[in-house]
Amino acid sequence: AGSRAMSLDAVPVALADRVYGALARVRVACNAPLRPSARAPERAPPMLSDKVRIACACAEMEYEDFIAREGVARALGEHLCEPLIIRGGAAMWGARGWTLEGMVREFGEWRCATRVNASPTRAGRQFTYVESAHADVVRGVFDAPSTTEVIPFAAAVARVLRWHGNGGYVQSDASEEMSAMCRGGVSEVFASVPGWRESQNQRLWLALSGSVSTMHFDASISTLTQVSKGSKRMLLYPPDALRLGGLWPN
């Protein structure tokens, strides 16, 4: 057992998902840890290019100080135009106790959206997101480098851990049960900001250490909460950097 799993690369992916998903649930039932495949060792985030110039770190506040300031929600809505880190804002969430093994035990059958590399030649931890409805994908100008599959969470974890397939990460609307464990604290503060509204459901993100999402932009204000083990490094560029970004023409 350990982190070494038998190879099912020659069988249909759907069958491999069922087998490896079942293996994940069996390991959890036996109180065995879920570890990455030997072909997916622990990896730190990639080094920054020497062309990247970090101007400054994001502003930070402790949640207790944040809520103690009168009118903070209104000030956010009126003035916030740069990233802000709020530490301790999810300390009361039930999700703070999540572990990978516990999530497989509790949510293993939940069907979640999983982003996977579309080709073995793109196997790895770099994922370029392109909408399948993108006009140039539809016209065949280029193939979408990654696709979304909806599979049981236990099978998605097996993909993330590289037990089989070309790598993947979970990017899915959270289930009602999950969302119920992510209430209170900073989420209530954001919900009270005048003029703000949720543009999409709460989402769960899960990836192997060292995974990279290439440069992109979000169409609305985004909030990200680290609820379990791990960390996420984000590089944010000002609007005037777009002309140097080498963007796709449209």
Side-chain angles (χ1 to χ4, degrees):
S3 62
R4 297 191 299 275
M6 59 182 177
S7 174
L8 291 179
D9 291 341
V11 304
V13 171
L15 175 58
D17 278 334
R18 288 197 294 272
V19 172
Y20 282 117
L23 177 61
R25 288 191 288 271
V26 168
R27 288 187 61 82
V28 166
C30 296
N31 294 318
L34 299 177
R35 295 195 177 104
S37 161
R39 61 193 178 104
E42 188 80 11
R43 185 179 298 174
M47 297 292 291
L48 296 180
S49 164
D50 57 8
K51 295 180 181 179
V52 175
R53 298 286 184 266
I54 304 298
C56 62
C58 297
E60 296 189 18
M61 291 184 68
E62 292 295 329
Y63 176 67
E64 295 302 326
D65 295 335
F66 184 74
I67 60 174
R69 299 194 178 192
E70 185 176 352
V72 67
R74 180 172 298 280
L76 277 176
E78 293 177 353
H79 304 296
L80 185 65
C81 58
E82 294 186 0
L84 173 66
I85 296 173
I86 303 172
R87 298 201 178 276
M92 65 292 297
W93 285 12
R96 290 292 293 172
W98 282 351
T99 64
L100 191 58
E101 292 78 12
M103 292 178 74
V104 168
R105 183 180 295 111
E106 193 166 352
F107 310 119
E109 295 294 338
W110 167 60
R111 297 185 65 82
C112 61
T114 306
R115 199 76 184 174
V116 298
N117 281 316
S119 166
T121 61
R122 295 191 174 102
R125 304 189 205 195
Q126 180 163 309
F127 300 92
T128 302
Y129 184 91
V130 178
E131 291 282 356
S132 58
H134 190 291
D136 285 340
V137 172
V138 173
R139 290 198 302 265
V141 176
F142 63 85
D143 295 328
S146 59
T147 58
T148 297
E149 298 181 14
V150 179
I151 56 179
F153 181 69
V157 168
R159 293 275 196 111
V160 171
L161 296 177
R162 297 295 299 279
W163 288 2
H164 80 104
N166 303 319
Y169 66 94
V170 174
Q171 177 194 354
S172 185
D173 286 356
S175 68
E176 289 186 11
E177 186 178 2
M178 287 179 169
S179 292
M181 300 176 75
C182 301
R183 291 178 183 157
V186 73
S187 58
E188 290 186 353
V189 174
F190 289 133
S192 68
V193 174
W196 284 21
R197 62 178 178 81
E198 281 194 347
S199 59
Q200 59 183 227
N201 297 327
Q202 282 185 321
R203 286 184 171 185
L204 173 71
W205 300 77
L206 175 69
L208 200 60
S209 64
S211 296
V212 176
S213 294
T214 50
M215 188 169 71
H216 63 280
F217 71 92
D218 292 343
S220 60
I221 293 173
S222 296
T223 59
L224 180 77
T225 306
Q226 189 74 30
V227 296
S228 190
K229 182 180 178 180
S231 61
K232 185 178 182 73
R233 183 180 71 190
M234 303 179 73
L235 292 178
L236 300 143
Y237 295 86
D240 59 10
L242 285 177
R243 61 186 179 84
L244 302 175
L247 301 182
W248 189 256
N250 58 350

